[in-house]
Structure formats: structure tokens, C-alpha cells
């Protein structure tokens, strides 16, 4: 029994708590992002996501394990893409663009709400360990949401920003780019692996997060 007590006493409880909070925050970021894609598509007339049970806040319906690992380690990642059938949209290109924008927009909104929660705790909550952990969680949630939102606005296929860029192109170019979209992951993985996005992405995320903090605090 003493051996077990010594083992648990040696664990860094604070580090374990931070890891658990980070996992919860990541799951929440990715789940909200994908659910909002599905809700936007459904609002525009596409029932595909609903029929495949993707209008759900259950993380298991959305998680891509590689994207989850990237989110946990790098601060930006992805989930399983929500199925969208653009044939249901009255204006297919713009329907795809609005559906794509719904994901990053939801993350940036959630980041703002999280920072508002931080401000409320800072101003009104008693100085206790529980509220300190709540502040830490909301701060982490805000930073991860900004990272995910900004990352997905990069106009590289298959990220959401590419759908917005494609929408302003002529139909022939749009159809060709959509056909080759499946190969965009190769380019994206290469850029991430070689760190080509690190400087730009870090500055963009920092700028957006700082602007939000300055707005609320």
C-alpha cells in the first residue's frame, strides 16, 4: 500500500489537471466547429449531415484521431469533415462558402464567449482554487478556438478558407479545383511537416487573440 501511496504522491497533479482540461477543450473546439458546419448546411437546405447524425455535440461523431493529436500538440487540427451535398443549395458555390465559414466563425465566437467568462471570473469570482482552474480552462479554450478558427481560414484546400476563395472563381475553375481538392491534404501535410506555416500562423493567431483580450479586458 505504501508503494501505491508513494507513486500517486509523486504524480504532478497540476500537470495532469492541465492535460485533462486541454483534452476537454480540444474536444469541445472540434465538436462545435463540425456541428456548426452541419447546422449551416442544414439551414441552407442540405439534410446530409443530419441524416448521418453529424448535428451532434457528441465528440465521437466528429473526431479524426490524427487531427485530434495535432490539436493537442500543435494547437490547431481538424475533425472528420461533415458531409455536404452542394446540389441541395440554391447557389451551390456560395452555399459551400457559407457552410465552410460557419466552422471558423463558431470557433472565434466561442473564443470571445470564453474570454467573457474569464472577465466575469476575474471581476466577480472568489479567490479559490476551483475558480482559478475555471479561469485557466476558459483561457485555454479561448486560445485553442482562435488557433483552430484562424488555421481553418487559410485558403489552402481542403481548409475552410479555400471554399470561400473558390466561391469567387469562375465556374470552370471552381469545378476543377474542387476535383483536385482531395490532393490538398498532401500539400497541407507537407507545409505543416516542414514548418512552412509556423511563422505566419503564429503571428496571425497571436494578433487575433491579443485583439480579443484587449477588447474584453
Amino acid at each position: 500500500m505504501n508503494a501505491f501511496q508513494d507513486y500517486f504522491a509523486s504524480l504532478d497533479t497540476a500537470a495532469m489537471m492541465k492535460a485533462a482540461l486541454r483534452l476537454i477543450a480540444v474536444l469541445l473546439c472540434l465538436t462545435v466547429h463540425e456541428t456548426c458546419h452541419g447546422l449551416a448546411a442544414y439551414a441552407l437546405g442540405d439534410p446530409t449531415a443530419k441524416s448521418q447524425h453529424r448535428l451532434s455535440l457528441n465528440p465521437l461523431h466528429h473526431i479524426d484521431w490524427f487531427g485530434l493529436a495535432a490539436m493537442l500538440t500543435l494547437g490547431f487540427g481538424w475533425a472528420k469533415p461533415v458531409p455536404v451535398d452542394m446540389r441541395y443549395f440554391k447557389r451551390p458555390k456560395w452555399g459551400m462558402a457559407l457552410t465552410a465559414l460557419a466552422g471558423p466563425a463558431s470557433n472565434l465566437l466561442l473564443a470571445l464567449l470564453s474570454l467573457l467568462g474569464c472577465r466575469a471570473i476575474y471581476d466577480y469570482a472568489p479567490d479559490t482554487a476551483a475558480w482559478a482552474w475555471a479561469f485557466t480552462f476558459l483561457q485555454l479554450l479561448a486560445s485553442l478556438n482562435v488557433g483552430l478558427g484562424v488555421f481553418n481560414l487559410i485558403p489552402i484546400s481542403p481548409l475552410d478558407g479555400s471554399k470561400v476563395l473558390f466561391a469567387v472563381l469562375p465556374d470552370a475553375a471552381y469545378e476543377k479545383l474542387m476535383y483536385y481538392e482531395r490532393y490538398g491534404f498532401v500539400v497541407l501535410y507537407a507545409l505543416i511537416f516542414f514548418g512552412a506555416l509556423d511563422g505566419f500562423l503564429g503571428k496571425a493567431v497571436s494578433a487575433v487573440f491579443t485583439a480579443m483580450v484587449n477588447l474584453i479586458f
Side-chain angles (χ1 to χ4, degrees):
M1 181 65 70
N2 288 335
F4 283 110
Q5 290 175 341
D6 291 342
Y7 171 75
F8 285 112
S10 68
L11 294 176
D12 187 340
T13 306
M16 292 175 62
M17 185 67 172
K18 288 180 181 178
L21 291 179
R22 185 176 182 84
L23 176 60
I24 294 169
V26 165
L27 290 174
L28 184 57
C29 291
L30 295 174
T31 300
V32 167
H33 180 100
E34 294 303 326
T35 301
C36 286
H37 278 318
L39 288 171
Y42 186 66
L44 291 168
D46 177 15
T48 309
K50 180 178 174 61
S51 68
Q52 296 189 24
H53 309 291
R54 296 298 301 276
L55 304 186
S56 169
L57 291 177
N58 182 349
L60 296 179
H61 290 175
H62 305 287
I63 295 305
D64 175 294
W65 296 107
F66 188 76
L68 175 63
M71 189 74 180
L72 286 168
T73 56
L74 302 176
F76 55 88
W78 53 89
K80 291 189 295 186
V82 165
V84 177
D85 189 340
M86 62 190 298
R87 292 173 297 179
Y88 285 102
F89 300 146
K90 292 180 179 178
R91 301 180 64 188
K93 288 197 301 185
W94 290 105
M96 286 294 294
L98 290 173
T99 298
L101 276 176
S106 70
N107 290 125
L108 296 176
L109 178 60
L110 186 53
L112 276 173
L113 293 175
S114 300
L115 288 173
L116 285 171
C118 286
R119 181 61 191 261
I121 292 172
Y122 181 82
D123 287 340
Y124 304 113
D127 186 12
T128 64
W131 282 112
W133 279 115
F135 186 94
T136 298
F137 173 72
L138 289 174
Q139 186 179 46
L140 177 62
L141 185 62
S143 64
L144 289 173
N145 269 289
V146 170
L148 183 62
V150 171
F151 173 65
N152 275 280
L153 286 173
I154 297 173
I156 298 175
S157 182
L159 297 179
D160 298 323
S162 67
K163 308 295 193 305
V164 181
L165 175 62
F166 292 175
V168 302
L169 299 176
D171 290 346
Y174 182 86
E175 291 173 5
K176 184 173 291 187
L177 286 170
M178 289 296 288
Y179 176 79
Y180 287 108
E181 184 183 36
R182 70 192 76 177
Y183 304 110
F185 262 120
V186 177
V187 176
L188 183 61
Y189 287 156
L191 291 172
I192 293 172
F193 181 78
F194 291 109
L197 298 177
D198 291 352
F200 159 76
L201 188 60
K203 290 178 182 178
V205 170
S206 178
V208 173
F209 186 75
T210 299
M212 287 186 177
V213 171
N214 291 337
L215 176 66
I216 293 173
F217 283 87

